Amino acid sequence: MKEVKADILLVEDDQNLGYMLQDFLEMEGYRIDLQKNGESGLTAFKSRQFDLCILDVMLPVKDGFSLAEEIHLINPQTPFIFVTAKALQSDRIKGLKLGADDYITKPFSTEELKLRIENILRRIGKQQENTHNNVFTIGQIIFDFANQVLQIHGEERRLTKKEALLLKMLCQNVNNLVRREQILLQIWGSDDYFMGRSMDVYIAKLRNYLKSEPTVNIVNIHGTGFKLEVNEL
Amino acid sequence: MKEVKADILLVEDDQNLGYMLQDFLEMEGYRIDLQKNGESGLTAFKSRQFDLCILDVMLPVKDGFSLAEEIHLINPQTPFIFVTAKALQSDRIKGLKLGADDYITKPFSTEELKLRIENILRRIGKQQENTHNNVFTIGQIIFDFANQVLQIHGEERRLTKKEALLLKMLCQNVNNLVRREQILLQIWGSDDYFMGRSMDVYIAKLRNYLKSEPTVNIVNIHGTGFKLEVNEL
DNA sequence: ACTCCCTGTTAATTTATTGTTAACCAACCA
DNA sequence: TGGTTGGTTAACAATAAATTAACAGGGAGT
């Protein structure tokens, strides 16, 4: 079950590029409506709400610029990105004047497009995936690293800095071993006997906090490290 | 009398380009602080508030990327644009990953730059307005940042500049942790022991002002920062 | 089973951070 | 000049967190 990060209207007449982008963006967690010309693009836009539009400039039936104008007329809020093969200065300026939030020229990497989309969505306040917010779900428990808080069945439990750091490390490696020395070096700064004992104390504390979740366990791998085990149902 | 549209920090080592841009942007109604290297750029940034930063990537003393990182640390709100001669894909991606709001490559027309600036300012405009109106409601209390006044049950209490800045920061992150270093960097300009103690004194003052509201609390997250908690009814 | 070493747990101790009040100082202003 | 005001530093109390200690189990090899 993946949460949809945002609804995107993609208008691109080049079949190959269109499908490729659709696939890529869907894999990134966006819901895509792919249209092949300006007119169907406009119809699609009218039919429901989108968080973002990606428009090719050269489109059959109705070009990207006039499409953008009409979209802007219908909903001036909606941000849009132009994609184009032409690197013409004048074209870029025309796009930006129309209020384009971004303007990228082919060839571009999907990585770049992804970052630009994320940037725009972040700015308009669309909630990004929580992974960047550092919110983890551990069984029924919600761990908000940024606020150092654990939500256990409605109850809030505040964590100390070290507790939070340690739990984050385990969460980032759910169901995977994290070696003692790695934890010690990263959180305690160095790996000696006493630091190690200190860490064990913290493991005990975390176990205590998580004990209400039977599907969640911090298991010890003798002589090696720990693993946060979460058994999905 | 010309209204200043925005304060822009421009860091560009190429004298010609730098002056040219400064002139152009000033004619456009922006107030420009031109710096010639990364280090002086950082100093300038610390010295006051900017609405936007335009950074060359290739800078003497401290490159644009690390400058951006530090700026982001001090005030994650501030948008920035990278300007560079290199059209390297990997560079563009690095910049965007750092959270750049835009990335434009030389040569570019001043017209394009102008449009991109307007775009960004327009986008942050809404939030800006709210935070430029700068009237927050904290439970029953009304905090007018612009006038540095707190309305507590009809009573007016005037705040000092630092008190107001600190309270604003907390308000902008209601119910969210604000880290000590971030407050210190943003308001006090640097993070050392005494600044920290000074801040603690201000926290005490604010707590005192807000103590009549039982639903409002400034809670300390030990070793990390503070959180303005407002419990809705 | 015996032994060594690693881990679990709780409590005691030490260290670091914060709360608070007041003294101090510099800038501003009548 | 002297009185305000805003801001910093100092000092001490109160807390919270982190480490250390102490002891009890447990695994793994012999």
Side-chain angles (χ1 to χ4, degrees):
Chain A
M1 71 95 249
K2 256 208 174 155
E3 179 99 13
V4 173
K5 281 199 276 190
D7 277 293
I8 298 181
L9 173 61
L10 171 61
V11 190
E12 168 63 63
D13 64 315
D14 177 339
Q15 283 237 349
N16 292 322
L17 182 57
Y19 286 139
M20 193 273 274
L21 282 178
Q22 178 170 30
D23 279 356
F24 171 74
L25 292 172
E26 278 174 352
M27 275 185 347
E28 286 296 324
Y30 299 104
R31 188 190 294 145
I32 306 297
D33 186 339
L34 173 60
Q35 295 296 330
K36 298 203 168 40
N37 67 66
E39 205 154 277
S40 65
L42 185 60
T43 311
F45 184 80
K46 281 180 185 161
S47 73
R48 64 188 178 87
Q49 290 282 112
F50 289 96
D51 298 303
L52 176 70
C53 300
I54 302 175
L55 314 174
D56 197 331
V57 173
M58 306 282 282
L59 286 172
V61 187
K62 181 195 291 291
D63 74 290
F65 288 137
S66 25
L67 175 56
E69 273 180 290
E70 304 207 42
I71 283 177
H72 196 69
L73 224 88
I74 296 171
N75 187 349
Q77 258 51 260
T78 311
F80 50 94
I81 298 178
F82 280 121
V83 173
T84 183
K86 290 197 290 180
L88 272 185
Q89 187 75 249
S90 62
D91 250 30
R92 289 232 293 279
I93 288 177
K94 187 168 170 193
L96 290 170
K97 270 205 176 130
L98 280 171
D101 287 73
D102 228 319
Y103 200 106
I104 76 180
T105 50
K106 306 172 191 170
F108 56 89
S109 73
T110 49
E111 178 77 3
E112 181 176 348
L113 178 62
K114 179 188 137 195
L115 286 168
R116 292 200 183 254
I117 290 172
E118 281 171 4
N119 253 325
I120 290 175
L121 292 177
R122 170 155 41 78
R123 274 189 306 241
I124 64 168
K126 183 86 186 172
Q127 203 53 22
Q128 297 288 108
E129 192 86 344
N130 280 336
T131 54
H132 201 264
N133 285 342
N134 283 316
V135 178
F136 303 90
T137 51
I138 316 166
Q140 304 287 321
I141 296 174
I142 297 167
F143 168 39
D144 179 343
F145 174 73
N147 286 305
Q148 294 187 191
V149 167
L150 220 50
Q151 288 262 5
I152 308 171
H153 307 113
E155 295 270 306
E156 261 201 5
R157 161 151 257 143
R158 292 172 52 181
L159 300 181
T160 73
K161 191 152 56 169
K162 282 242 158 75
E163 288 168 352
L165 284 169
L166 178 54
L167 184 54
K168 181 169 95 161
M169 235 179 135
L170 291 170
C171 284
Q172 286 173 331
N173 300 279
V174 208
N175 294 320
N176 274 114
L177 170 68
V178 188
R179 345 195 101 257
R180 289 182 72 90
E181 7 128 17
Q182 197 189 334
I183 297 173
L184 287 170
L185 288 176
Q186 195 167 318
I187 298 179
W188 271 264
S190 84
D191 172 2
D192 68 25
Y193 172 76
F194 288 107
M195 302 286 189
R197 290 332 322 279
S198 192
M199 175 179 77
D200 289 326
V201 171
Y202 277 85
I203 290 285
K205 290 181 186 179
L206 291 184
R207 283 197 176 114
N208 199 31
Y209 299 157
L210 300 176
K211 67 168 179 280
S212 67
E213 279 303 297
T215 59
V216 174
N217 262 80
I218 299 179
V219 301
N220 170 254
I221 315 296
H222 197 91
T224 322
F226 295 93
K227 177 164 71 165
L228 177 64
E229 262 185 17
V230 178
N231 303 302
E232 302 291 334
L233 300 188
Chain B
M1 169 237 143
K2 261 205 179 156
E3 177 101 12
V4 173
K5 281 200 277 189
D7 275 293
I8 298 181
L9 174 60
L10 171 63
V11 191
E12 168 63 64
D13 63 316
D14 177 338
Q15 284 235 350
N16 293 321
L17 182 58
Y19 287 140
M20 192 272 275
L21 283 177
Q22 177 170 31
D23 280 355
F24 171 73
L25 292 172
E26 278 174 352
M27 273 181 354
E28 286 297 323
Y30 299 105
R31 189 191 293 144
I32 306 298
D33 186 339
L34 173 61
Q35 295 294 331
K36 298 206 168 38
N37 68 68
E39 206 154 278
S40 66
L42 185 60
T43 310
F45 183 81
K46 280 181 184 165
S47 71
R48 63 191 178 87
Q49 292 280 111
F50 289 96
D51 299 301
L52 175 70
C53 299
I54 302 174
L55 314 173
D56 197 329
V57 173
M58 306 281 281
L59 287 172
V61 188
K62 181 193 293 290
D63 74 290
F65 288 135
S66 25
L67 175 56
E69 274 180 288
E70 304 207 43
I71 283 177
H72 195 70
L73 218 90
I74 296 173
N75 188 346
Q77 261 52 263
T78 311
F80 50 93
I81 298 177
F82 279 122
V83 173
T84 182
K86 288 197 290 181
L88 272 184
Q89 185 76 248
S90 63
D91 251 30
R92 287 232 294 278
I93 288 177
K94 187 170 172 193
L96 291 170
K97 273 207 174 128
L98 279 172
D101 288 71
D102 230 317
Y103 199 107
I104 75 181
T105 50
K106 304 175 194 169
F108 56 91
S109 70
T110 48
E111 179 75 4
E112 180 175 352
L113 179 62
K114 177 189 137 195
L115 286 167
R116 292 201 183 254
I117 290 172
E118 281 170 4
N119 253 325
I120 290 176
L121 293 177
R122 171 157 40 79
R123 273 190 306 243
I124 62 168
K126 287 201 189 85
Q127 300 147 339
Q128 201 78 356
E129 239 162 79
N130 293 342
T131 52
H132 225 267
N133 275 345
N134 283 317
V135 179
F136 303 90
T137 50
I138 317 166
Q140 304 288 321
I141 296 173
I142 297 167
F143 168 40
D144 179 344
F145 174 74
N147 294 309
Q148 301 191 14
V149 167
L150 219 51
Q151 289 263 3
I152 309 171
H153 307 113
E155 297 267 308
E156 258 200 8
R157 161 151 256 144
R158 306 183 52 177
L159 299 181
T160 71
K161 187 149 60 172
K162 282 247 156 72
E163 288 168 350
L165 283 169
L166 178 54
L167 185 54
K168 181 169 93 162
M169 243 182 126
L170 291 171
C171 285
Q172 286 173 330
N173 299 279
V174 207
N175 294 321
N176 272 114
L177 171 65
V178 188
R179 342 195 110 256
R180 290 181 72 90
E181 334 112 40
Q182 197 183 326
I183 298 174
L184 287 170
L185 288 175
Q186 199 166 317
I187 298 180
W188 271 266
S190 86
D191 172 1
D192 69 25
Y193 174 76
F194 289 106
M195 301 287 187
R197 288 338 318 280
S198 191
M199 175 178 77
D200 289 327
V201 172
Y202 276 84
I203 290 286
K205 292 180 185 179
L206 292 183
R207 282 197 177 116
N208 200 30
Y209 299 158
L210 300 175
K211 67 167 178 279
S212 66
E213 279 303 297
T215 58
V216 173
N217 260 79
I218 298 180
V219 303
N220 170 253
I221 315 295
H222 196 95
T224 317
F226 294 93
K227 178 163 70 165
L228 177 64
E229 260 184 18
V230 179
N231 302 302
E232 304 290 334
L233 299 189

